[in-house]
Every structure is written in C-alpha cells, then in structure tokens.
Amino acid sequence: MKTYIPNKFIVDRDPERCIQCQVCVNQCSFDANYYDAEDDEVKSREENCVGCHRCVVFCPTQALTIRKNPLDYRENFNWRPEVIEDILKQAESGAMILTGMGNDKGYRVYWDHLVLNASQVTNPSIDPLREPMELTTYLGSKPDKVELDSNNLKLKTKLAPQVKLDIPVIFAAMSYGAVSINVHESLARAATEAGTLWNTGEGGLHSKLYKYGANTIVQVASGRFGVHQNYLDAGSIVEIKIGQGAKPGIGGHLPGEKVSSEVSLTRMIPQGTDALSPAPQHDIYSIEDLAQLVYSLKEATNYEKPISVKIAAVHNSAAIASGMVRAGADIIVLDGFRGGTGATPKIIRDNVGIPIELALASVDSRLRAEGIRNRASIVVSGGIRNSGDVAKAIALGADAVYIGTAALVALGCTLCQQCHTGKCAWGICTNNLTLTKRINPDIGSRRLANLLRGWSLELKDILGGMGLNALESLRGNRLSLRGIGLTDTELKILGVKMAGD
Amino acid sequence: MRDLTEISNPYSDGKIIDSCSIFGMMDTSGKCFSGKDITKAIGNMHFRGNGLGGGFAIYGLYPEYADYYAFHIMYLSKDSQNQVESFLKENFHVVVTDEIPTQPTPAIINPPLVWRYFLEVDMGKCVLQEPDDYVTEKVMQINTCMDGAFVFSSGKNMGVFKGVGYPEEIAEYFCLNDYQGYLWTSHGRFPTNTRGWWGGAHPFNILDWTVVHNGEISSYGINYRCLEQFGYLCTMQTDTEVVAYIIDLLMRKHGLPIEIVAKIMAPPFWDDIERLPQDERELLIALRQVYSSMLLNGPFTIIIAHQGEMIGFTDRIRLRPLTVGVKGSMLYLSSEEASIRLISPDLDKAWIPMGGEPIIGRLATENQKQFITGVTEVRTGNKLR
Ligand code: SF4
Ligand code: SF4
C-alpha cells in the first residue's frame, strides 16, 4: 500500500562540506542515509529519518542539518497534522500506534509555573562555598517519635530500615531488555559514585552487576522476570511496580527479538520469546492483596530492606497512596504522565494519567492530614528535567525524585521517541549489539555522575539562597514556593500562594 | 470564631518577620532579685528593637500562691473581661482576682486592661485529662474564640508582662522593680511589618514555659506543617509560636530532655555525626531521621525557661548572637556581651557557645552541684574571658 504519510524531517547535506565519508550512513540505524556507489554520493531516504541527530553529531565536517518538514496543511486546530498522520498510520496498518518516551502533549507543565524563594535582609542566605550544605536524605518509614533509655541517653526505638542518599535524585526503573546492559552498567556505576541509587526495572539484574547491589533498587513487577532470592538479597530496596506514568493500567511487552541469550538468562525466560508483563499484578486485585505482597517481600528479605510501591499518578492517587502506606509500604513512588517508557500505546500515553506536580501535592497533603506522612517516604518521577524541578518537587513534599528520561538524555538520547523500534541510534534503548556498543560504560557512567554532580551543586546554591543548610528544611516547605499564572483551584491543590501574595 | 490573624497579622503575610534583643538571667541558688538589673541590661540593647514590643518573664514570682495557675490576661474592653471572667468561673475555682498594678508612662499609649487571676482546676470538669492539658485547652479557647482577650501567661509561680513599647518602658509601666524572682528573661522586638499588638510581644508562654526568641526561621513552612500533624495549629504566624510548640511536643509529650531537644532543633552536621562514638552516632542519626521536619533552619537564638531551668542556644551555624556570662551562682544569657557587663562587670567567665550547643542553668540541689552546663564553658571559657 502506498503510504500517504509524508516525511517528518528534511536531511540537509551541504555538498560543499560533505566528503562522502559515509559516517552518517553507518551511524543511522534507521536506514535513512545510504551511499550511492554509481553517483559516488551519500544520499538520504528522508522518509526514514526520525530526527535523532546521531548523524549530525558524528558528521566530521558538520555537513548535516536536520530540519522539520514544514508540511503546511490548511490550518485547523482540531485536525492538526499529528492527528491526520495518526489516522493515516492506522488506516495503513490496522494496528494500535506504539511509541516511546512520555506524554509530549502541551499540557501545563506546573514546574514552569512555580518559583522558589530567596533570603533578603531579615535572614541571611548561606554561601555553599563557605558553609556546609547538606543534601543527605534517608528513605524509609520513620516513627513519630523516638524513645531513649532514660539513664544513659541511648536510643531505645529501633527504626525500620533506612537507605541513605547523598543526593535526592535516583535513576528510575529501566529494565534490562528495554535498555542495554551497557546502560545498566553506566547507571549502576554512576549511582555508586554519586552515593545514590539506580533501579533495575522489571527485567532482573545481570549477574555482573550484583556487585553494585548496595546502590540498587530491585523491582518486582507483574511479570516477575528475574525475581529470585539472590536478586531480592542483592538490592538495598525492593520495589513493587504496580503502574507506570507512561502507560497507567497497561502491561509491558518486550518483543522476542530483544530477548537475547543474556536477556533470557537474566529474565529467566526462553531466548527469543516475547516477555509479556500482565497489566495488573495477578496476585494483587485489592489493597489487602498488596499488603500481602509487601509483607511477603519483607519476610523474604528479613525486614532488612525498605519495600517501595510504585504507582502511576491517576485521579485518586491520594486515597490510593494512603492505602499503600497502611498496607506497609515504606516508600511510595508516584510516576506522573510525563514519565518515559520503552514502548506504550500512544493513545494511552497521551490521554491517561495526571501531572506529577498535582499528584505529589495532593498525596503529601493527604498523608499529612491523616497523620501518616512519616510512615513512608515519597519519591516522584515523570518529567523531572533539572535541579530546579528537583527543588520544587522537594518543596511540594517529595523526599527524592527519580530521573529516567533526563538520565538517558545525559547518555545521548534526543527524545526521538523510537524506543519501541529497538533501533535506537544512540545505542540506549536497543539490544542490537552493533548499537549497544555505542554506550561505553566508562564514558556513560562519567556523563551520568557529572550530571548528578552538577545538580547537587545547583541544589546547594538553591538551598543556600533560601537560607537553608539542610535539605529536610525544604522538604514540604511550600511557603518557599509561589505560583505564577495559576488558577485558584490549581494553587489550592498545590498548596502554594500566588506570587506577590 | 475570632480570626487571630486579624489582630496579629493584618496583612496576612505567610509569617510575621521580626528580630530583636534577648536577655536572660538566673540565680541558680534560687535567690530572688528585682527587675532593676534586667531592665538596665535589655535597655542597653535599645536599638535592636523598634518600640513595637517588649516583655519579661519572671519565675519564683508568686511563692504565696505557688500551687495555683497564675493567669495574666489582657482585655481590650470591659465586655471581653466580663465574658472571660464568667468563662473562668465556669471552668476553674478562682482564688484571687486583681488588676495588675501599672503606672502612667509617657511612651505607653492606649494600653489594654491587664488582670491577674490565681486559679485552681475544677477537678469535676477535668476528668480523663491531665490538669496541664486542661489548662492549655482553656487558654487556647480564650485566645482563639474570645474577642478582645489574650492570655499573657498561665503557669504556676511565674508570670509574663509584655506590651507594645520598648522593654524598659514596659518594665516601668508594669512597675517591675517591685517584683522579685530568681529567673528573668526579657525581649525587645523589631517586627518588620506588624502594627503593635500587645499579645504579639514576647515572651511567648504556655503553662510555665516561656520562649524569647531572636530569629527568622527559614524552615517555618515545614515546621508548622509538621506540628499540624501532631494537632498544633499555628495561628499567630510567628517563629516563636513554632518554637514553643516544638518544645511542648518534644519535652512534655515525647518526654525528651532539653539536651536532646536542642540536638533536634539545631542538629550537628552529618559529617560531624559520622565521627562520633557509635552509641551517640546512632542516636543523632535517628534523631535527624525522625525529627527532620523539626530542624529549625535559619538564624535564631532562643532562651527557653520553665520552673527551675533556663536554656539558651543558637541555630546550628550561629547566625544570631548569644553570649554567656557566669558570676558566682548567676548565669546570664544575652544577645550582646556589653549588656551583661553593664550589670555585672566582673564576670567569672564569658564566652560565645558553639552553634546549636545548649547552655543550661538549673536550680542547684543537694545532689546536683553542676548547675550550669555547656561544653565550651569548659573548653574555651577561660580563654575568651
Ligand atoms: S541518524 Fe537520525 S537524524 Fe540522522 S538521518 Fe538517521 S534518523 Fe535522521
Ligand atoms: S532512547 Fe534512543 S530511540 Fe528512544 S528517544 Fe532516545 S535516542 Fe530515540
């Protein structure tokens, strides 16, 4: 069938600069560049280009420019080009449209409508270059009070297990299979260097990464891939994944082509078979079922590790979160609708779930109103882009944040949204061996650790500017935020005042 | 219900910002003295206030009525006085009622009525409740529900005198030279925005606890939210109120000693904790984990007092001043050393404590000889003299 979908990008190759070296041909995993031997000229199949910029970065003479194909349809606010093209795709394929990454629609980004405070006159700002500035955070359930041995001032209360973070930024769950082993190794090494954690995602932990266990969150998801006693013992936190912001209510599907022998070993499934994660966990159909899984994992790990439960941010997150805390979760993870994924039905990604800012604010308020906020840490994810977002999330009430997309961008990702194709030209979201070697764990871990270092310096500056020298004084401190351009209802949900008020 | 912010925070600021001078003096042998010296000392820091608030707390004040709750109540009208007095009669046995003596002072304009009551809890009404909790509840009721009335103080054998004016003017107005106590604290206030309100002056009191405070707590936004979880409603938008409630929660309800409470409000740095011996390290880590939202971050110095004890400390990096002076059995705590030397020129010791380190003065008893504690006293006290 002839496709009616026009190409999205124009590959502009400056003939004056191009030396026919064919680097772009080799770099493009989407087959958009080729060498025409007859004409002795590198040419492009523009209909294949996804705009990932791999060729642009690697072209030695900067001969390439990728431009958007202007596609001037007759203007229509309802029937936008994307809408038209999605219909064309389905008319030609008869299938669901799959995509990668998180919701890219123009919904309000609340981070961009929140601003932070700074000290002037009545309290001094603190200079992080001269004074200690503390970002240390402990994840885990806390009691409301401690008891002491009255005669010798020794601690009598035994706290539930706590995991220490030197920076309140954790690498989000991305499974081995969806991303390559080199990405996992880069994340694990960077987390170890930065004193934070990374998350295995639902595909198990490769045997060569067990040595990073102290900095690892091991995930238990609906497919239970790669879950066994050693795996649970390896991590410092066990996370039950109920849902994911990019596809709330939807399971996962790792196509058989991506299940290589190594992936098969780690996931404990036959090579080449599709790895299907059911939409729900089939042993959790209600809150008391969740409590049973939480406590079975606590039993299995001897009550030595916090158990985390991750849900997608949805309409009644606050009530669900309260139930999760009562079901014994030590950490609750909320994933907003901008959270990324390796593959999701586009219609789900773009239409289901709510922004993380609102979910976080309402969950934190609810847990406080019920007097159970101390009983669980809150970790949020889904669209955290920089240290400013981190600071705002903490001020709204988060203990820490997860970053997934931002970490991949540090490794080269340009959000071309082709993760589901397995062709990622940056070698991130693929298990094709010629592509995966594009991520060198020595360099990958350096880039990730650098990112965290940069953010931690910025967080210290932000704190110091507000006259605070410990992160916990920002946590839940919504007076340090003001809203701009928000309605009264939005301000009320976020629990912040309008700027100027 | 009366909206307190109408009075204490007319512009509905997130929080009232002020700064000030503080001074405390205690004779740890229990000997009582008049308000002459402390008035002179706090007056010496005149420029740290702006005349919009001054006050004093005195302990050992009413030995003849030591078993009764002494209420000092401010009224804006005769009506509110009648209303509160019938409320008191309903809930307490009123032993003595009198108007607190004052003298005309040029600087004090338009003062409210201030009355004093000695009360005994009506045990018929106070069932299933500690008398202290009963009294707290009644004080909150008067302060939040009754128009034109505010309880300055409600402890036994102590009292608070405060108002709008410089502290030395308040002392003159309330004739504080005529009173005797073994422990006095005082405060001169510099609010940046609040129009004068007598109830907004310091010391802040609940039961026999008083707090005077110089600071601007940057972590206020989380401190008050954390207290809400424990049922404390911060209605006055002041740091002092937050400090007072944290102390009430940690000391009275959680039963923690002041040394530990100071480590919660002004904790040592994680790096310093790492270097401590194991038991102490475990304790301090747990305190920071559990009470992270009660860390008072930003500049402050506070002097806390209750019967028999006076405690002073600063924030963890000492962004507001505190000087300690010791002369015989006398302990002085002050924003400025000059004020101490003005009334006691020949000190045994004077020093500046480390950030977050509590200086504690206690009434000496037979088996407790060490009545003033503080680490740097031993370490650097002599050097700084
Ligand atoms: S490498 Fe990426 S940007 Fe370059 S032609 Fe291929 S798909 Fe397009
Ligand atoms: S991970 Fe790869 S395929 Fe996915 S958006 Fe990033 S660069 Fe494109």
Side-chain angles (χ1 to χ4, degrees), chain B residues 105-139:
Chain B
T105 306
I108 304 296
I109 320 151
N110 206 6
L113 304 162
V114 185
W115 281 65
R116 166 165 54 206
Y117 307 85
F118 291 101
L119 307 171
E120 195 176 32
V121 168
D122 182 344
M123 291 314 282
K125 291 247 163 71
C126 169
V127 275
L128 297 174
Q129 215 178 0
E130 289 294 318
D132 275 357
D133 289 332
Y134 180 82
V135 172
T136 310
E137 191 185 288
K138 299 300 162 211
V139 170

Side-chain angles (χ1 to χ4, degrees), chain A residues 337-396:
Chain A
F337 73 168
R338 290 189 195 276
T341 178
T344 171
K346 186 165 182 280
I347 203 75
I348 302 287
R349 185 196 74 173
D350 292 350
N351 295 286
V352 182
I354 63 170
I356 191 58
E357 300 91 321
L358 302 178
L360 164 60
S362 60
V363 167
D364 177 72
S365 301
R366 173 68 73 88
L367 297 186
R368 283 178 192 281
E370 295 189 21
I372 54 174
R373 177 64 183 83
N374 291 346
R375 279 163 58 180
S377 300
I378 300 179
V379 180
V380 297
S381 57
I384 306 277
R385 302 159 299 177
N386 51 42
S387 58
D389 292 354
V390 177
K392 291 169 190 175
I394 291 184
L396 282 178

Side-chain angles (χ1 to χ4, degrees), chain A residues 30 50 52 100-101 179 341-342 408-409 412-430:
Chain A
F30 295 93
V50 299
C52 76
M101 283 298 153
V179 298
T341 178
L408 297 191
V409 170
C413 167
T414 52
L415 277 94
C416 68
Q417 305 188 12
Q418 301 305 307
C419 324
H420 60 294
T421 63
K423 292 189 194 165
C424 178
W426 290 91
I428 297 165
C429 210
T430 174

Side-chain angles (χ1 to χ4, degrees), chain A residues 11 27-28 30 32-33 48-56 66:
Chain A
V11 182
Q27 290 298 321
C28 183
F30 295 93
N33 298 320
N48 286 349
C49 176
V50 299
C52 76
H53 282 212
R54 179 79 189 179
C55 58
V56 176
I66 307 292

Side-chain angles (χ1 to χ4, degrees), chain B residues 287-336:
Chain B
L287 291 177
R288 286 200 67 177
Q289 289 171 332
V290 174
Y291 294 112
S292 58
S293 303
M294 291 186 209
L295 188 167
L296 299 177
N297 214 320
F300 72 83
T301 304
I302 47 178
I303 301 175
I304 303 161
H306 67 136
Q307 212 57 259
E309 201 169 50
M310 174 169 82
I311 307 112
F313 59 94
T314 69
D315 63 270
R316 57 209 303 245
I317 54 173
R318 205 177 53 215
L319 294 168
R320 286 283 155 90
L322 176 65
T323 301
V324 187
V326 174
K327 171 74 185 173
S329 59
M330 287 297 296
L331 169 66
Y332 300 93
L333 300 173
S334 172
S335 298
E336 296 178 9

Side-chain angles (χ1 to χ4, degrees), chain B residues 209-237:
Chain B
W209 291 92
T210 57
V211 180
V212 290
H213 158 266
N214 169 22
E216 155 70 9
I217 295 170
S218 316
S219 57
Y220 177 84
I222 184 56
N223 301 140
Y224 90 84
R225 287 187 82 207
C226 167
L227 284 167
E228 275 177 3
Q229 285 210 73
F230 291 97
Y232 294 88
L233 277 185
C234 297
T235 49
M236 297 172 66
Q237 285 90 28

